[in-house]
Amino acid sequence: VANGGCSPIALQVAAASCAQRQQKSDDGDNKMTVQESANGINAVTNVVLSSVPRLPFFLQPSNDPIKTAKSYKTLSGVPGKLFWWYSCRNNGSFIRKFSEKNLVANANNLGENWQRNCFETAISNGGKSKYGTFAFLAGALQDGCYASLEYLKNTNVKIDVIKGQDVRRNNAKSWFWLKKKRSKKGHQSASKDNDDAAPTSGKTIVDYLKENGNGGRERMIRGRISLAHEDANGYAESLFDFLK
């Protein structure tokens, strides 16, 4: 189960699971050991993606590995420490303000403990979670999922989708994501983000999954991007429904 920009993680895990299963089949061994079963090896048969980005995000890489590594190194230094300090000050008030503006449909749906939970998670384990955030901001997950989707094509892995009723996009921009380039006229122009990449004739990731042989079920719940927080009951009910 993965949400939003973390969707590539779930797809890569599923693809790796299929690769392991195929390898065992090629070796003439289709049985899992007790330990493998306990560890969940070769057990991925379903994936749930929620608040999915637009189709180009999945098919077209928008990052440069060298620039991503450079951005991550920068964020892991003084700039990142300042950003993390600012985000966590006043018990995470910035986290709430940013989320209310860019990620959620109705702030009242987050509940009274949401900000405190985010803040306590951010500072837990000596604040080490910041490095995961820095990797995400640097573009580590923006390398496309085409290879994973191709490997999963026509397999028995079904991919279900949970969508939010509020379809507004997250317009927040990071200076790490803006790539300056010269236009033919010599003017500076910023390239559009990955969601505005090459046209896809209105096709969505749900349409693509159906054509790919992985189409599952689709559920619509309250919320915008942080669906599990905005409509916890609806999210849980959707997962239980998928598990039936």
Side-chain angles (χ1 to χ4, degrees):
V1 180
N3 185 75
C6 290
S7 297
I9 298 174
L11 295 175
Q12 288 175 17
V13 170
S17 171
C18 286
Q20 289 178 329
R21 185 162 52 240
Q22 183 61 48
Q23 182 62 49
K24 290 180 71 66
S25 177
D26 292 343
D27 294 340
D29 181 10
N30 292 317
K31 295 182 179 180
M32 287 190 295
T33 66
V34 174
Q35 188 61 43
E36 287 176 329
S37 180
N39 292 336
I41 296 177
N42 294 338
V44 177
T45 57
N46 290 77
V47 173
V48 179
L49 304 179
S50 61
S51 187
V52 290
R54 299 193 178 192
L55 184 56
F57 170 87
F58 292 93
L59 303 182
Q60 302 163 355
S62 65
N63 64 350
D64 180 320
I66 296 177
K67 290 183 178 180
T68 295
K70 183 178 180 181
S71 297
Y72 178 76
K73 183 177 181 180
T74 300
L75 281 167
S76 297
V78 174
K81 291 180 179 179
L82 290 174
F83 164 74
W84 202 253
W85 166 81
Y86 182 79
S87 299
C88 294
R89 70 191 186 101
N90 298 326
N91 295 319
S93 60
F94 169 78
I95 297 175
R96 186 174 190 91
K97 291 178 181 178
F98 178 88
S99 299
E100 290 179 352
K101 179 180 179 181
N102 299 290
L103 304 179
V104 303
N106 186 343
N108 294 327
N109 293 333
L110 294 176
E112 58 183 14
N113 296 322
W114 180 84
Q115 180 179 328
R116 185 185 67 188
N117 290 338
C118 287
F119 170 70
E120 291 180 351
T121 300
I123 65 174
S124 63
N125 298 312
K128 292 182 179 179
S129 65
K130 62 177 173 285
Y131 295 109
T133 300
F134 293 164
F136 182 83
L137 292 176
L141 295 179
Q142 297 182 36
D143 51 358
C145 307
Y146 184 76
S148 297
L149 290 169
E150 277 295 291
Y151 204 98
L152 294 172
K153 190 173 185 178
N154 295 320
T155 65
N156 65 342
V157 176
K158 294 302 179 183
I159 303 175
D160 302 311
V161 174
I162 302 176
K163 300 172 63 177
Q165 294 174 347
D166 189 330
V167 297
R168 286 178 297 163
R169 296 170 61 187
N170 175 10
N171 292 318
K173 300 295 179 185
S174 167
W175 63 274
F176 287 102
W177 301 338
L178 295 177
K179 305 171 184 177
K180 293 291 185 179
K181 62 181 181 180
R182 285 280 180 183
S183 66
K184 293 182 180 180
K185 294 182 179 181
H187 298 296
Q188 289 286 346
S189 63
S191 64
K192 292 185 178 181
D193 69 319
N194 193 48
D195 280 350
D196 292 329
T200 56
S201 302
K203 183 186 292 186
T204 67
I205 182 60
V206 173
D207 298 327
Y208 185 91
L209 292 174
K210 290 179 180 178
E211 295 176 1
N212 209 47
N214 309 112
R217 290 157 292 181
E218 186 177 359
R219 295 290 180 271
M220 182 83 71
I221 65 174
R222 293 183 301 123
R224 182 179 174 190
I225 295 176
S226 301
L227 301 182
H229 298 286
E230 298 181 77
D231 187 1
N233 289 336
Y235 200 93
E237 290 172 358
S238 296
L239 290 179
F240 280 125
D241 187 34
F242 291 154
L243 290 171
K244 291 179 180 179

